[in-house]
Amino acid sequence: KNEVEQSPQNLTAQEGEFITINCSYSVGISALHWLQQHPGGGIVSLFMLSSGKKKHGRLIATINIQEKHSSLHITASHPRDSAVYICAVDKLIFGTGTRLQVFP
Amino acid sequence: DTEVTQTPKHLVMGMTNKKSLKCEQHMGHRAMYWYKQKAKKPPELMFVYSYEKLSINESVPSRFSPECPNSSLLNLHLHALQPEDSALYLCASSHLGTVYNEQFFGPGTRLTVL
């Protein structure tokens, strides 16, 4: 069993839909990160969380330390949101990623 | 300047070649990382440098040799690679601290070993 698991592995949505990606982890952590990787390779750090909730534009990330679970939400999804979303916890452990495709 | 640059963008090499990947940042970060990423897989950590010293080597074969000549530069020297080493090689940098700090990633070098 991986120490960081994400679900779903693949996700398709219509433009405008609300999207949720989940991340569960089994190790004690100081921080959890959500990363976005577009086709071609570039990785962008979206959020770093150690508690509660953060919002940036249409993106919202939440974390529940007791339940060892985090979610990434995308409101009003857009085709440009199509990417792989990766959850990572400190000690540099990465989840397997969620591949999101948003269709117009 | 909040960018991590990597050169070259693409590299094709034979198994007997020697080549180097380069990474540069000017954000004052004192931690720099090399990752290897195979298709449809998450990045796998290879090496971590802290204050220009190698602090983590994730049991990487010796055909990969990292070098950190100064606080802004990170190299990965490649020699006698195998076709299965073909992958996207990502460099990242971050501030140092007691927790996992936000990493800034370069665009990667796509390596093909023939």
Coordinates of all heavy atoms in Angstrom, one line a residue, chain B residues 4-72:
Chain B
V4 N 13.0 28.4 -12.3 CA 14.1 27.4 -12.3 C 14.3 27.0 -13.8 O 13.3 26.6 -14.5 CB 13.7 26.1 -11.5 CG1 14.8 25.0 -11.6 CG2 13.5 26.5 -10.0
T5 N 15.5 27.1 -14.3 CA 15.7 26.8 -15.7 C 16.5 25.5 -15.8 O 17.3 25.2 -15.0 CB 16.4 27.9 -16.5 OG1 17.7 28.1 -15.8 CG2 15.6 29.2 -16.4
Q6 N 16.2 24.7 -16.9 CA 16.9 23.5 -17.1 C 17.3 23.4 -18.6 O 16.5 23.8 -19.5 CB 16.0 22.3 -16.8 CG 15.7 22.0 -15.4 CD 15.0 20.7 -15.1 OE1 13.9 20.7 -14.6 NE2 15.6 19.6 -15.4
T7 N 18.5 22.9 -18.8 CA 19.0 22.7 -20.2 C 19.7 21.4 -20.2 O 20.3 20.9 -19.3 CB 20.0 23.8 -20.6 OG1 21.0 23.9 -19.6 CG2 19.3 25.2 -20.7
P8 N 19.6 20.7 -21.4 CA 18.7 21.0 -22.5 C 17.3 20.6 -22.3 O 17.0 20.0 -21.3 CB 19.3 20.2 -23.7 CG 19.8 19.0 -23.0 CD 20.3 19.4 -21.6
K9 N 16.4 21.0 -23.1 CA 15.0 20.6 -23.0 C 14.8 19.1 -23.4 O 14.0 18.4 -22.9 CB 14.1 21.4 -23.9 CG 13.9 22.9 -23.3 CD 12.9 23.6 -24.1 CE 12.7 25.0 -23.5 NZ 11.8 25.8 -24.3
H10 N 15.5 18.7 -24.4 CA 15.5 17.4 -24.9 C 16.9 16.9 -25.1 O 17.8 17.7 -25.5 CB 14.8 17.3 -26.3 CG 13.4 17.7 -26.2 ND1 12.3 16.9 -25.9 CD2 12.8 19.0 -26.5 CE1 11.2 17.6 -26.0 NE2 11.5 18.9 -26.3
L11 N 17.2 15.6 -24.9 CA 18.5 15.0 -25.0 C 18.3 13.6 -25.5 O 17.6 12.8 -24.9 CB 19.3 15.1 -23.7 CG 20.7 14.5 -23.8 CD1 21.6 15.2 -24.7 CD2 21.3 14.5 -22.4
V12 N 19.0 13.3 -26.6 CA 19.1 11.9 -27.0 C 20.5 11.4 -27.0 O 21.4 12.1 -27.5 CB 18.6 11.8 -28.5 CG1 18.6 10.3 -29.0 CG2 17.1 12.2 -28.6
M13 N 20.8 10.3 -26.3 CA 22.1 9.9 -26.2 C 22.2 8.4 -26.3 O 21.3 7.6 -26.0 CB 22.7 10.3 -24.9 CG 22.0 9.8 -23.6 SD 22.6 10.6 -22.1 CE 24.3 9.8 -22.0
G14 N 23.4 7.9 -26.8 CA 23.7 6.5 -26.8 C 24.2 6.0 -25.5 O 24.5 6.8 -24.6
M15 N 24.2 4.7 -25.3 CA 24.6 4.1 -24.1 C 26.1 4.3 -23.7 O 26.5 4.2 -22.6 CB 24.3 2.6 -24.1 CG 22.8 2.3 -24.0 SD 22.4 0.6 -23.8 CE 22.7 -0.1 -25.4
T16 N 26.9 4.7 -24.7 CA 28.3 4.9 -24.4 C 28.6 6.4 -24.2 O 29.8 6.8 -23.9 CB 29.2 4.3 -25.5 OG1 28.8 5.0 -26.8 CG2 29.0 2.8 -25.6
N17 N 27.6 7.2 -24.4 CA 27.9 8.7 -24.3 C 28.0 9.2 -22.9 O 27.5 8.5 -22.0 CB 26.7 9.5 -25.0 CG 26.7 9.3 -26.5 OD1 25.6 9.5 -27.1 ND2 27.8 8.9 -27.1
K18 N 28.7 10.3 -22.8 CA 28.7 11.1 -21.5 C 28.0 12.4 -21.8 O 28.4 13.1 -22.7 CB 30.1 11.3 -21.0 CG 30.8 10.2 -20.4 CD 32.1 10.6 -19.9 CE 32.9 9.5 -19.2 NZ 34.2 9.9 -18.7
K19 N 27.0 12.8 -21.0 CA 26.3 14.0 -21.1 C 26.0 14.6 -19.8 O 26.1 13.9 -18.8 CB 25.0 13.9 -21.9 CG 25.1 13.4 -23.3 CD 25.7 14.5 -24.2 CE 25.7 14.0 -25.7 NZ 26.3 15.0 -26.6
S20 N 25.6 15.9 -19.7 CA 25.2 16.5 -18.5 C 24.0 17.3 -18.6 O 23.7 17.9 -19.6 CB 26.3 17.5 -18.0 OG 27.5 16.8 -17.8
L21 N 23.1 17.2 -17.6 CA 21.9 18.1 -17.5 C 22.3 19.2 -16.5 O 23.0 19.0 -15.5 CB 20.8 17.3 -16.9 CG 20.4 15.9 -17.6 CD1 19.2 15.3 -17.0 CD2 20.3 16.1 -19.1
K22 N 21.7 20.4 -16.8 CA 22.0 21.5 -16.0 C 20.7 22.2 -15.5 O 19.7 22.1 -16.1 CB 22.8 22.6 -16.8 CG 24.1 22.1 -17.3 CD 24.9 23.3 -18.0 CE 26.2 22.8 -18.5 NZ 27.1 22.2 -17.5
C23 N 20.8 22.7 -14.3 CA 19.7 23.3 -13.6 C 20.2 24.6 -12.9 O 21.3 24.6 -12.4 CB 19.1 22.4 -12.6 SG 17.8 23.1 -11.6
E24 N 19.4 25.7 -13.0 CA 19.9 27.0 -12.4 C 18.7 27.7 -11.8 O 17.6 27.7 -12.3 CB 20.5 27.8 -13.5 CG 21.2 29.1 -13.0 CD 22.1 29.7 -14.1 OE1 22.1 29.2 -15.2 OE2 22.7 30.7 -13.7
Q25 N 18.9 28.3 -10.7 CA 17.9 29.1 -10.0 C 18.6 30.3 -9.3 O 19.7 30.2 -8.9 CB 17.1 28.3 -9.0 CG 17.9 27.6 -7.9 CD 18.1 28.5 -6.7 OE1 17.5 29.5 -6.4 NE2 19.1 28.0 -5.8
H26 N 17.9 31.4 -9.3 CA 18.4 32.6 -8.7 C 17.5 33.2 -7.6 O 17.3 34.4 -7.5 CB 18.8 33.7 -9.7 CG 19.8 33.2 -10.7 ND1 21.2 33.2 -10.3 CD2 19.8 32.8 -12.0 CE1 21.9 32.7 -11.4 NE2 21.0 32.5 -12.4
M27 N 16.8 32.2 -6.9 CA 15.9 32.7 -5.9 C 16.5 32.6 -4.5 O 15.8 32.8 -3.5 CB 14.6 31.8 -5.9 CG 13.8 31.9 -7.2 SD 12.4 30.8 -7.3 CE 13.2 29.4 -8.0
G28 N 17.8 32.3 -4.4 CA 18.4 32.2 -3.1 C 18.1 30.9 -2.4 O 18.4 30.8 -1.1
H29 N 17.5 30.0 -3.1 CA 17.2 28.7 -2.4 C 18.5 27.9 -2.2 O 19.4 27.8 -3.0 CB 16.3 27.9 -3.3 CG 14.9 28.4 -3.5 ND1 14.0 28.0 -4.4 CD2 14.3 29.4 -2.8 CE1 12.9 28.7 -4.3 NE2 13.0 29.5 -3.3
R30 N 18.6 27.3 -1.0 CA 19.8 26.5 -0.6 C 19.5 25.0 -0.7 O 20.3 24.2 -0.2 CB 20.3 26.9 0.7 CG 20.6 28.4 0.8 CD 21.6 28.9 -0.3 NE 22.9 28.3 -0.2 CZ 23.9 28.8 0.6 NH1 23.6 29.9 1.3 NH2 25.1 28.2 0.6
A31 N 18.3 24.6 -1.1 CA 18.0 23.2 -1.3 C 17.7 23.0 -2.8 O 16.9 23.7 -3.4 CB 16.9 22.7 -0.5
M32 N 18.3 22.0 -3.4 CA 18.0 21.7 -4.8 C 17.9 20.2 -5.0 O 18.5 19.4 -4.2 CB 19.1 22.2 -5.7 CG 19.2 23.8 -5.7 SD 20.4 24.5 -6.8 CE 19.4 24.4 -8.4
Y33 N 17.0 19.8 -5.9 CA 16.6 18.4 -6.0 C 16.7 18.0 -7.5 O 16.4 18.7 -8.4 CB 15.1 18.3 -5.6 CG 14.8 19.0 -4.3 CD1 14.6 20.3 -4.2 CD2 14.6 18.2 -3.1 CE1 14.2 21.0 -3.0 CE2 14.2 18.8 -1.9 CZ 14.1 20.2 -1.9 OH 13.7 20.8 -0.7
W34 N 17.0 16.7 -7.6 CA 16.8 16.0 -8.9 C 15.7 14.9 -8.8 O 15.8 14.2 -7.8 CB 18.1 15.3 -9.4 CG 19.0 16.2 -10.1 CD1 20.3 16.6 -9.7 CD2 18.9 16.9 -11.3 NE1 20.9 17.4 -10.6 CE2 20.0 17.7 -11.6 CE3 17.8 17.0 -12.3 CZ2 20.2 18.5 -12.8 CZ3 17.9 17.8 -13.4 CH2 19.1 18.5 -13.6
Y35 N 14.8 14.9 -9.7 CA 13.8 13.9 -9.8 C 13.8 13.2 -11.1 O 14.1 13.8 -12.1 CB 12.3 14.5 -9.7 CG 12.0 15.1 -8.3 CD1 12.3 16.4 -8.0 CD2 11.4 14.3 -7.3 CE1 11.9 17.0 -6.8 CE2 11.0 14.8 -6.1 CZ 11.3 16.2 -5.9 OH 10.9 16.7 -4.7
K36 N 13.4 12.0 -11.2 CA 13.2 11.2 -12.4 C 11.7 10.9 -12.5 O 11.1 10.5 -11.5 CB 14.0 9.9 -12.4 CG 13.7 9.0 -13.6 CD 14.5 7.7 -13.4 CE 14.3 6.7 -14.5 NZ 15.1 5.5 -14.3
Q37 N 11.1 11.1 -13.7 CA 9.7 10.8 -13.9 C 9.5 10.0 -15.1 O 9.8 10.5 -16.2 CB 8.9 12.1 -13.9 CG 7.4 11.9 -13.9 CD 6.6 13.1 -13.9 OE1 7.0 14.2 -14.4 NE2 5.3 13.0 -13.4
K38 N 9.0 8.8 -15.0 CA 8.6 8.0 -16.1 C 7.1 8.4 -16.5 O 6.4 8.9 -15.7 CB 8.7 6.5 -15.7 CG 10.0 6.1 -15.3 CD 11.0 5.9 -16.4 CE 10.9 4.6 -17.1 NZ 11.9 4.4 -18.2
A39 N 6.8 8.0 -17.7 CA 5.5 8.4 -18.2 C 4.3 7.9 -17.3 O 4.3 6.7 -16.9 CB 5.3 7.8 -19.6
K40 N 3.4 8.8 -17.0 CA 2.2 8.5 -16.2 C 2.5 8.0 -14.8 O 1.7 7.3 -14.2 CB 1.3 7.4 -17.0 CG 0.8 7.9 -18.3 CD -0.2 7.0 -18.9 CE -0.7 7.6 -20.2 NZ -1.7 6.8 -20.8
K41 N 3.7 8.4 -14.3 CA 4.1 8.1 -12.9 C 4.4 9.4 -12.2 O 4.8 10.4 -12.9 CB 5.3 7.2 -12.9 CG 5.0 5.8 -13.5 CD 4.2 4.9 -12.7 CE 4.1 3.5 -13.2 NZ 3.2 2.7 -12.4
P42 N 4.3 9.4 -10.9 CA 4.8 10.7 -10.2 C 6.3 10.8 -10.2 O 7.0 9.8 -10.5 CB 4.2 10.4 -8.8 CG 4.1 9.0 -8.6 CD 3.8 8.4 -10.0
P43 N 6.8 11.9 -9.9 CA 8.2 12.1 -9.8 C 8.8 11.2 -8.7 O 8.2 11.0 -7.7 CB 8.4 13.6 -9.5 CG 7.2 14.2 -9.9 CD 6.1 13.2 -9.7
E44 N 10.0 10.7 -9.0 CA 10.8 9.9 -8.0 C 12.0 10.7 -7.6 O 12.8 11.1 -8.5 CB 11.2 8.6 -8.5 CG 10.1 7.6 -9.0 CD 10.7 6.4 -9.7 OE1 11.8 6.0 -9.3 OE2 10.1 5.9 -10.6
L45 N 12.2 10.9 -6.3 CA 13.3 11.7 -5.9 C 14.6 10.9 -6.1 O 14.7 9.7 -5.8 CB 13.2 12.0 -4.4 CG 14.3 12.8 -3.7 CD1 14.3 14.2 -4.3 CD2 14.1 12.8 -2.2
M46 N 15.6 11.6 -6.6 CA 16.9 11.0 -6.8 C 17.9 11.5 -5.8 O 18.6 10.8 -5.1 CB 17.4 11.3 -8.3 CG 16.5 10.8 -9.4 SD 17.1 11.3 -11.0 CE 18.6 10.3 -11.2
F47 N 18.1 12.8 -5.8 CA 19.1 13.5 -5.0 C 18.6 14.8 -4.4 O 17.7 15.4 -5.0 CB 20.4 13.9 -5.8 CG 21.0 12.7 -6.6 CD1 20.9 12.6 -7.9 CD2 21.8 11.8 -5.9 CE1 21.5 11.5 -8.6 CE2 22.5 10.8 -6.5 CZ 22.3 10.6 -7.9
V48 N 19.1 15.1 -3.2 CA 18.8 16.4 -2.6 C 20.2 17.0 -2.2 O 21.0 16.3 -1.6 CB 17.9 16.3 -1.4 CG1 17.7 17.7 -0.8 CG2 16.6 15.6 -1.7
Y49 N 20.4 18.3 -2.5 CA 21.5 19.0 -2.1 C 21.0 20.1 -1.1 O 20.1 20.8 -1.4 CB 22.2 19.7 -3.2 CG 23.3 18.8 -3.9 CD1 22.9 17.9 -4.8 CD2 24.6 18.9 -3.5 CE1 23.9 17.1 -5.4 CE2 25.6 18.1 -4.1 CZ 25.2 17.2 -5.0 OH 26.1 16.4 -5.6
S50 N 21.7 20.2 0.0 CA 21.5 21.2 1.0 C 22.8 22.0 1.3 O 23.8 21.4 1.6 CB 21.0 20.7 2.4 OG 19.8 19.9 2.2
Y51 N 22.7 23.3 1.1 CA 23.9 24.1 1.2 C 25.1 23.5 0.4 O 26.2 23.3 0.9 CB 24.3 24.3 2.7 CG 23.4 25.1 3.5 CD1 22.6 24.5 4.4 CD2 23.3 26.5 3.3 CE1 21.7 25.3 5.2 CE2 22.4 27.2 4.0 CZ 21.6 26.6 5.0 OH 20.7 27.4 5.7
E52 N 24.8 23.2 -0.9 CA 25.7 22.7 -1.8 C 26.3 21.3 -1.5 O 27.3 20.9 -2.1 CB 26.8 23.7 -2.1 CG 26.4 25.0 -2.7 CD 25.9 26.0 -1.7 OE1 26.8 26.5 -0.9 OE2 24.7 26.3 -1.6
K53 N 25.8 20.7 -0.4 CA 26.3 19.3 -0.1 C 25.2 18.3 -0.3 O 24.0 18.5 0.0 CB 26.7 19.3 1.4 CG 28.0 20.1 1.7 CD 28.5 19.9 3.1 CE 29.6 20.8 3.5 NZ 30.5 21.2 2.4
L54 N 25.6 17.1 -0.8 CA 24.6 16.1 -1.0 C 24.1 15.6 0.3 O 24.8 15.1 1.2 CB 25.3 14.9 -1.8 CG 24.4 13.8 -2.2 CD1 23.3 14.2 -3.2 CD2 25.2 12.7 -2.8
S55 N 22.8 15.7 0.5 CA 22.2 15.3 1.7 C 21.3 14.0 1.6 O 21.1 13.3 2.6 CB 21.4 16.4 2.4 OG 20.3 16.8 1.5
I56 N 20.8 13.8 0.4 CA 20.0 12.6 0.2 C 20.4 12.0 -1.2 O 20.4 12.7 -2.2 CB 18.5 12.9 0.2 CG1 18.0 13.3 1.6 CG2 17.7 11.6 -0.2 CD1 16.6 13.7 1.7
N57 N 20.7 10.7 -1.2 CA 20.9 9.9 -2.4 C 20.0 8.7 -2.3 O 20.2 7.9 -1.5 CB 22.3 9.5 -2.5 CG 22.6 8.7 -3.8 OD1 21.7 8.1 -4.3 ND2 23.8 8.6 -4.2
E58 N 18.9 8.7 -3.1 CA 17.9 7.6 -3.0 C 18.4 6.4 -3.7 O 17.7 5.9 -4.6 CB 16.6 8.1 -3.5 CG 15.9 9.2 -2.6 CD 15.4 8.6 -1.3 OE1 15.1 7.4 -1.3 OE2 15.2 9.3 -0.4
S59 N 19.6 5.9 -3.3 CA 20.1 4.6 -3.9 C 20.1 4.7 -5.4 O 19.7 3.7 -6.1 CB 19.2 3.4 -3.5 OG 19.2 3.4 -2.1
V60 N 20.6 5.8 -6.0 CA 20.6 6.0 -7.4 C 21.9 5.3 -8.0 O 22.9 5.5 -7.4 CB 20.6 7.5 -7.8 CG1 20.6 7.7 -9.3 CG2 19.3 8.1 -7.2
P61 N 21.8 4.6 -9.1 CA 23.0 4.0 -9.7 C 24.1 5.0 -10.0 O 23.8 6.2 -10.3 CB 22.4 3.4 -11.0 CG 21.0 3.2 -10.8 CD 20.6 4.3 -9.9
S62 N 25.3 4.6 -9.9 CA 26.4 5.5 -10.0 C 26.6 6.0 -11.4 O 27.4 6.9 -11.6 CB 27.7 4.7 -9.6 OG 27.9 3.6 -10.5
R63 N 25.9 5.5 -12.4 CA 25.9 6.1 -13.7 C 25.3 7.5 -13.8 O 25.4 8.2 -14.7 CB 25.2 5.2 -14.8 CG 23.8 4.8 -14.5 CD 23.3 3.8 -15.5 NE 21.9 3.5 -15.4 CZ 21.5 2.5 -14.6 NH1 22.3 1.7 -14.0 NH2 20.2 2.2 -14.6
F64 N 24.6 7.8 -12.7 CA 24.1 9.2 -12.5 C 25.0 9.9 -11.4 O 25.0 9.4 -10.3 CB 22.6 9.2 -12.0 CG 21.7 8.7 -13.0 CD1 21.3 7.3 -13.0 CD2 21.1 9.5 -13.9 CE1 20.4 6.8 -13.9 CE2 20.1 9.0 -14.8 CZ 19.8 7.7 -14.8
S65 N 25.6 11.0 -11.8 CA 26.5 11.6 -10.8 C 26.1 13.1 -10.7 O 26.3 13.9 -11.6 CB 27.9 11.5 -11.3 OG 28.8 12.2 -10.5
P66 N 25.6 13.5 -9.5 CA 25.2 14.9 -9.3 C 26.3 15.7 -8.9 O 27.3 15.3 -8.4 CB 24.1 14.8 -8.2 CG 24.6 13.7 -7.3 CD 25.3 12.7 -8.3
E67 N 26.2 17.0 -9.2 CA 27.2 18.0 -8.8 C 26.5 19.3 -8.5 O 25.6 19.7 -9.3 CB 28.2 18.2 -9.9 CG 29.3 19.2 -9.6 CD 30.0 19.6 -10.9 OE1 29.5 19.4 -12.0 OE2 31.2 20.2 -10.7
C68 N 26.9 20.0 -7.4 CA 26.4 21.3 -7.1 C 27.5 22.3 -7.0 O 28.1 22.5 -5.9 CB 25.6 21.2 -5.8 SG 24.6 22.7 -5.5
P69 N 28.0 22.9 -8.1 CA 29.2 23.7 -8.0 C 29.0 25.0 -7.2 O 30.0 25.5 -6.7 CB 29.5 24.0 -9.5 CG 28.2 23.7 -10.2 CD 27.5 22.7 -9.4
N70 N 27.8 25.5 -7.1 CA 27.5 26.7 -6.3 C 26.1 26.7 -5.9 O 25.3 25.8 -6.4 CB 28.0 28.0 -7.0 CG 27.3 28.3 -8.3 OD1 26.0 28.3 -8.3 ND2 28.0 28.4 -9.4
S71 N 25.6 27.7 -5.2 CA 24.3 27.7 -4.7 C 23.2 27.9 -5.7 O 22.0 27.7 -5.5 CB 24.1 28.8 -3.6 OG 24.4 30.1 -4.1
S72 N 23.6 28.3 -6.9 CA 22.6 28.5 -8.0 C 22.5 27.4 -9.0 O 21.6 27.4 -9.8 CB 22.9 29.8 -8.7 OG 22.9 30.9 -7.9

